[in-house]
């Protein structure tokens, strides 16, 4: 049996064990999921809900959730790979469409480079490649013949693309030169993988641009960062903190890296959302990408380059942040299904005519919603009870449940239940086309606001070193005055390891890691007084350069 | 130097040689491309147009065209790989959007499977895999560690996906089960590669579906084939013949394969456009994908599967068909730029005020066109002459050139030139918003009709064997009565080789190949009388089963 399969099975076994131990709870869960027509549906014998509590064992909860909500399937053939199922692809495509439109407006064009790079091209830019070398997947054979020169699957495409930038950029008139591609990359991680968050293959977009001046390049770095923040804020309802990475955490070969950092309340971890890098002239000098200076003819200017990427990890962050013990909670704007209509109140006494009438009315409600641009459907499955359906759609995270039965029909209303808060109410049928879209927008905003408040209240500004570890142990990230020295950052990581036990990615308890810098936020919480404010690390003694956000992290 | 680079350089060298030999022609070409401001632009010293005539050496013409029109760049690192540049990606995305919307309406959902398959999973379905085995790219190392089990890059995803179909399809209620993915696949071809047409990596979509009955599956196979035909006809302005592949030419492991076949007049070759396969129960029995029979409980039905794919090859077919000695001719519906506005009539005597006025007017024209949903731009480059710009946009295949100078302004008109026919005329500015969209649609239809007539007149219905080889040598494909026996098809291939020399993919002359069956057209040209009409192969003696389309082909 392959590692991934074992991993998946282990996770589920443990989850089942836990479920048994919490017997009362499981029993209750089973009761809320009455199964009708078990003979008809093979899968109706299983408990469809999540059996692990988010609060009790976050990693196991997450693994069970992404499987049961059908976002991913473990790829049992090869460890560390996952199949992205339709609900996940829907979200990714929503992100893609949003981002693609914005960068198209900026004049960035699409390209597609080969997925392989030759071992020779790697030799050119060793500094950058060193970081990726242990994770490169090497093709050494085609059919039964050995390749003369092995080729690696791209872990990112700087080395693949920039030789052509040299060829294509021949004059300052070609600048800015801006290409983006949507593709798959492979990083054969040795660390334990987690669906979406850390996987050996993932989908992303990678933008690679070249500019005449440092200022123009820097402007774009931040424009793109704002788009990434918009993907998180506006689509995924995930708040982020924008900032700069420290030297230790910046991209290999970049001048500086900007980042969106988010936060998972369930375990207090920071998580990197997306990064936009100012590469400076590092690569343009390596690959000799230059133009004639338009001001001083004959002078050669090496172009200023950027690269920036957003991956399917974003889906994982959203799931971790919003999901609950009933399953996914998907923000309305990116949910394939925004409202699910469920027939209720049908009993053994209901006549076939009454039944048909109700289903016809439900179809009309669906048509009304579709006209109002609400992505709606009716759950007409006749082999499941309403209770089972409620649980099923809650598991899948549909933002709004609309119940409709003879009683609702008599009053010309639809009963609703919000997935995010559980709040219930009724909407007059006459107002469906206006109130449902409004309610969906309210859910979207409430989800963001709730997450934002949580992040704000767990981003502690600390002025005393003694408070750091307790703050981390209480699932906070911290903002501290920091000297920005790499060696000090390493030391801080060691100093903040804790004996506190928490479940690791495999669900097993393990000592918690030390904190890493997440970013130097652009929005600083307070002033750093030059040559006065000290770095918070008590062993350091240097002056602080900034308030830096640290945290245990993914 | 790598093979691809050598290939590319050789092609260009030969092209340059030819250009020199045809000295008069080259000189004329140079004169029609007056270069202004050569000091400013590095590339303005080169001849921008195509130096090889389509009629004289079609393969070299094609290679030069796709490079100079910036559709692709040779990937010099690894032979047989190509970089898709923005104009090519625009076309691919237009195809993607069109097809995706149609299959979404059919209820087909999107998925993303890993790019690797393990050597173990390949053992399960040897018959299917044998065809691909010589072309599999094997990853044997990650970092500096050997993999325990090597993994291959998918050449297609049947073996990757179907183990999960077994898991996911558990009841007849799960049927039809239909997934599609847009991805990249690798087939490490030994044959010489040609951009778009035959490459070692390509982009495509692959749909994989499962149905309860053979009839339902067959219905979908043809629905998808119609969509592929629509992509060719309606977007690419490429006529196709729909039909069934013979046993020899069907997909390995399929019950039957349906196909869209097109035709390249320049060399008389048939070319496969896209295929939609009825897999029958071959794979469902191999992978044990079954459901309980909804009619006779306890009986097990193996599902009926289909797979279907459309690749970036479609772009190559369009380029080969419509391109001419001036460059690309892109059908308006898929052209990123539909109309290019070029300022003309500016001389040394033009005052800066007049110049500014003209450019302002051009911007207004562009705004008018954009409002009318025409993708338009103004070529404001001041370091190139109008003649150079004309040639440049002709090379790039923009369907409509709009010239605007002081004389046009005085008459409140815009002068136009169609890329497809060269026809010229004027359009009153007041009518721009209606006449330009109409003209673009006319161009689209004329391009299709011209190609359709050409295909029709080169699809010869033959009743005498003696006419077959001369017909092929005159660049036709042929429809002949055929017994449909694989051995007879092999023999026909041998019998129709010709001493006639024509340029091969490397531009070198070589003996022409024999003909292959392209398809058994659904639309049969005449009746086959059972037990009377004979197979046309004089050595065969069997009765014919159908009129089958044969041709030399890609």
């Amino acid at each position: 049996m392959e590692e991934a399969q074992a991993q998946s099975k282990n996770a589920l076994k443990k989850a089942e064990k836990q479920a048994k131990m919490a017997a009362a709870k499981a029993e209750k869960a089973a009761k809320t999921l009455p199964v009708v027509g078990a003979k008809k549906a093979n899968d109706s014998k299983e408990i469809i809900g999540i059996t692990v509590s988010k609060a009790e064992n976050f990693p196991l909860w997450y693994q069970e959730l992404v499987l049961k909500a059908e976002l991913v399937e473990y790829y049992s053939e090869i460890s560390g790979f996952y199949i992205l199922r339709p609900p996940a692809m829907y979200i990714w495509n929503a992100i893609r469409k949003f981002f693609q439109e914005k960068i198209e407006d900026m004049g960035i064009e699409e390209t597609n480079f080969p997925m392989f790079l030759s071992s020779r091209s790697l030799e050119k830019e060793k500094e950058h490649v060193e970081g990726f070398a242990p994770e490169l997947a090497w093709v050494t054979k085609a059919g039964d013949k050995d390749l003369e020169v092995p080729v690696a699957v791209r872990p990112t495409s700087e080395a693949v693309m920039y030789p052509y930038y040299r060829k294509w950029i021949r004059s300052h008139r070609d600048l800015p030169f801006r290409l983006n591609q949507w593709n798959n990359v492979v990083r054969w991680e040795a660390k334990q993988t987690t669906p979406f968050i850390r996987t050996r293959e993932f989908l992303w977009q990678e933008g690679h641009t070249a500019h005449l001046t440092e200022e123009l390049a820097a402007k774009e770095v931040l424009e793109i960062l704002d788009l990434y923040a918009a993907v998180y804020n506006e689509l995924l309802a995930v708040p982020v903190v924008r900032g700069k990475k420290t030297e230790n955490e910046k991209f290999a070969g970049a001048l500086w890296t900007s980042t969106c950092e988010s936060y998972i309340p369930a375990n207090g971890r920071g998580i990197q959302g997306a990064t936009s890098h100012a590469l400076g002239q590092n690569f343009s000098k390596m690959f000799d990408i230059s133009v004639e200076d338009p001001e001083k003819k004959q002078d050669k200017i090496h172009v200023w380059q950027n690269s920036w990427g957003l991956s399917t990890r974003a889906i994982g962050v959203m799931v971790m942040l919003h999901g609950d013990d009933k399953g996914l909670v998907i923000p309305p704007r990116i949910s394939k299904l925004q409202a699910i209509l469920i027939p209720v109140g049908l009993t053994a006494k209901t006549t076939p005519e009454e039944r048909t009438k109700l289903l016809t009315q439900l179809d009309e409600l669906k048509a009304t919603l579709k006209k109002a641009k609400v992505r709606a459907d009716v759950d007409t499955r006749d082999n499941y009870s309403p209770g089972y359906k409620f649980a099923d759609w809650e598991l899948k995270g549909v933002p709004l449940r609309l119940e409709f039965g003879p009683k609702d029909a008599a009053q010309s209303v639809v009963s609703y239940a919000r997935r995010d808060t559980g709040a219930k109410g009724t909407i007059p049928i006459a107002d469906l086309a206006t109130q449902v879209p409004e309610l969906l927008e309210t859910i979207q905003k409430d989800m963001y606001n709730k997450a934002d408040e949580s992040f704000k209240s767990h981003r502690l500004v600390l002025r005393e070193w003694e408070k750091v570890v307790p703050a981390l142990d209480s699932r906070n990230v911290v903002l501290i005055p920091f000297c920005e020295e790499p060696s000090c950052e390493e030391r801080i990581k060691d100093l903040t390891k804790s004996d506190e036990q928490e479940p690791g990615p495999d669900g097993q308890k393990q000592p918690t890691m030390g904190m890493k810098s997440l970013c130097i936020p652009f929005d600083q919480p307070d002033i750093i007084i030059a040559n006065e404010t000290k770095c918070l690390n008590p062993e350091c003694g240097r002056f602080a350069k900034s308030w830096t956000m640290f945290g245990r992290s993914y």
Side-chain angles (χ1 to χ4, degrees), chain A:
Chain A
M1 202 188 299
E2 269 284 34
E3 202 182 309
Q5 202 172 20
Q7 184 181 324
S8 155
K9 287 227 171 147
N10 276 341
L12 287 176
K13 254 188 216 157
K14 269 177 214 150
E16 279 156 21
K17 213 168 156 189
Q18 286 213 353
K20 273 182 202 163
M21 282 163 62
K25 203 184 151 204
E27 213 171 331
K28 191 184 151 213
K31 274 182 196 159
T32 60
L33 298 170
V35 172
V36 174
K39 271 183 292 182
K40 290 187 198 164
N42 292 327
D43 51 357
S44 56
K45 283 165 211 158
E46 293 171 19
I47 295 169
I48 62 161
I50 307 298
T51 63
V52 191
S53 139
K54 187 176 184 180
E56 278 167 27
N57 195 326
F58 178 70
L60 285 192
W61 167 86
Y62 178 73
Q63 286 179 36
E64 204 186 326
L65 174 56
V66 293
L67 279 176
K68 287 202 167 174
E70 299 181 357
L71 290 179
V72 302
E73 181 74 69
Y74 282 79
Y75 189 57
S76 58
E77 307 295 319
I78 313 169
S79 167
F81 290 79
Y82 302 89
I83 299 156
L84 302 184
R85 301 187 68 182
M89 285 310 292
Y90 187 89
I91 297 168
W92 181 239
N93 284 329
I95 293 172
R96 179 172 172 156
K97 187 166 178 280
F98 175 91
F99 188 75
Q100 178 62 33
E101 279 172 11
K102 305 280 183 193
I103 61 173
E104 251 174 57
D105 287 347
M106 289 169 69
I108 294 163
E109 295 194 295
E110 193 165 336
T111 187
N112 190 269
F113 273 72
M115 57 176 279
F116 296 124
L117 63 169
S118 83
S119 50
R120 271 196 299 256
S121 71
L122 283 173
E123 284 158 20
K124 265 202 187 156
E125 31 112 47
K126 282 192 178 156
E127 184 196 1
H128 165 65
V129 156
E130 251 170 37
F132 291 108
E135 297 176 359
L136 290 177
W138 286 100
V139 172
T140 60
K141 276 173 65 180
D144 54 5
K145 292 198 190 82
D146 287 338
L147 293 185
E148 260 181 62
V149 181
V151 301
V153 183
R154 60 183 164 214
T156 176
S157 299
E158 281 78 5
V160 178
M161 295 169 89
Y162 296 168
Y164 299 90
Y165 278 47
R166 181 189 174 183
K167 185 171 178 184
W168 295 333
I169 299 170
R170 306 209 284 183
S171 150
H172 66 90
R173 289 170 196 273
D174 297 325
L175 301 176
F177 186 87
R178 317 206 268 187
L179 297 176
N180 179 64
Q181 59 185 4
W182 295 90
N183 57 5
N184 54 345
V185 294
V186 170
R187 299 177 186 176
W188 210 279
E189 299 268 0
K191 287 192 201 169
Q192 184 141 19
T193 56
T194 301
F196 299 115
I197 303 297
R198 183 186 298 278
T199 60
R200 285 179 168 173
E201 179 186 1
F202 56 86
L203 302 182
W204 76 344
Q205 61 66 222
E206 50 177 326
H208 296 268
T209 64
H211 304 260
L212 188 63
T213 69
E214 182 170 11
E215 292 66 34
L216 288 168
K219 184 168 168 277
E220 185 203 74
V221 167
L222 299 180
E223 275 170 13
I224 294 292
L225 192 72
D226 284 349
L227 291 183
Y228 289 155
V231 165
Y232 275 94
N233 296 342
E234 292 170 30
L235 298 186
L236 303 168
V238 171
V240 291
V241 167
R242 273 165 265 204
K244 219 171 118 171
K245 287 284 189 187
T246 60
E247 282 301 299
N248 271 17
E249 295 293 329
K250 77 174 187 188
F251 181 60
L255 199 60
W256 53 277
T257 287
S258 72
T259 182
C260 292
E261 298 286 325
S262 191
Y263 164 79
I264 309 297
N267 59 8
R269 297 274 179 97
I271 188 161
Q272 178 181 303
T275 45
S276 178
H277 315 291
L279 302 178
Q281 295 173 309
N282 288 341
F283 288 92
S284 66
K285 283 179 180 163
M286 230 166 347
F287 289 97
D288 192 21
I289 311 170
S290 62
V291 298
E292 195 182 66
D293 188 333
E295 317 263 294
K296 294 179 230 158
K297 303 284 170 183
Q298 263 106 43
D299 273 18
K300 196 162 113 170
I301 294 180
H302 282 99
V303 299
W304 293 83
Q305 289 180 270
N306 299 332
S307 72
W308 26 270
L310 172 73
S311 80
T312 38
R313 161 178 275 207
I315 302 170
V317 176
M318 182 276 284
V319 170
M320 287 184 164
L321 187 61
H322 297 302
D324 63 23
D325 286 354
K326 290 179 176 176
L328 285 183
V329 185
I330 307 182
R333 287 187 198 153
I334 52 160
S335 188
K336 183 175 184 186
L337 207 52
Q338 295 176 309
I340 182 71
L341 286 152
I342 299 178
V344 296
L346 296 173
T347 65
K349 288 179 196 163
T350 312
T351 64
E353 290 72 30
E354 287 170 333
R355 196 189 146 73
T356 305
K357 191 183 159 199
L358 193 75
L359 288 175
T360 308
Q361 286 174 308
L362 277 159
D363 273 342
E364 288 164 9
L365 296 176
K366 177 180 158 183
T368 304
L369 289 171
K370 290 223 155 184
K371 227 186 232 170
K373 306 232 159 136
V374 175
R375 296 184 290 273
D377 207 354
V378 186
D379 187 344
T380 56
R381 291 177 292 178
D382 55 8
N383 55 330
Y384 292 106
S385 70
Y388 182 95
K389 290 178 184 177
F390 291 2
D392 190 27
W393 294 111
E394 280 173 353
L395 173 62
K396 289 177 180 147
V398 176
L400 197 59
R401 178 174 81 227
L402 298 174
E403 303 164 23
F404 187 70
K407 281 182 195 162
D408 301 289
Q411 297 181 295
S412 295
V413 298
V414 172
S415 301
Y416 73 79
R418 283 174 61 160
R419 176 63 186 92
D420 62 330
T421 59
K424 292 177 183 177
T426 57
I427 300 173
I429 290 178
D431 300 337
L432 212 59
T434 53
Q435 287 198 20
V436 169
E438 277 169 26
L439 188 50
L440 290 169
E441 272 304 287
T442 304
I443 293 172
Q444 179 85 30
K445 276 167 197 149
D446 287 355
M447 285 179 72
Y448 177 81
N449 289 337
K450 186 184 161 199
D452 192 39
E453 275 160 34
S454 160
F455 193 6
K456 275 183 186 149
S457 65
H458 287 89
R459 206 155 69 215
L460 305 187
V461 177
L462 297 185
R463 290 177 169 83
E464 289 149 277
W465 177 255
E466 294 65 35
K467 290 187 175 169
V468 170
V469 172
L472 298 176
D473 287 347
S474 313
R475 301 186 177 166
N476 297 289
V477 296
V478 298
L479 283 152
I480 59 171
F482 178 48
C483 65
E484 298 187 10
E485 286 297 321
S487 59
C488 181
E489 184 165 344
E490 284 302 325
R491 187 67 192 133
I492 285 176
K493 194 187 281 179
D494 282 341
L495 289 173
T496 51
K497 279 177 185 156
S498 166
D499 293 333
E500 178 91 351
Q501 299 270 318
E502 66 165 14
D506 57 357
Q508 306 271 31
K509 290 220 168 184
Q510 54 186 229
T512 54
M513 64 178 81
M515 70 183 187
K516 284 197 313 189
S517 78
L518 303 172
C519 72
I520 304 161
F522 293 140
D523 188 6
Q524 290 277 300
D526 201 349
I527 292 168
I528 293 285
I529 304 168
N531 300 323
E532 188 178 317
T533 313
K534 285 275 183 100
C535 178
L536 202 66
N537 174 5
E539 297 179 2
C540 173
R542 292 184 200 86
F543 290 113
K545 286 190 176 157
S546 66
W547 289 88
T548 300
M549 185 163 78
F550 281 81
R552 293 176 182 145
S553 74
Y554 278 90

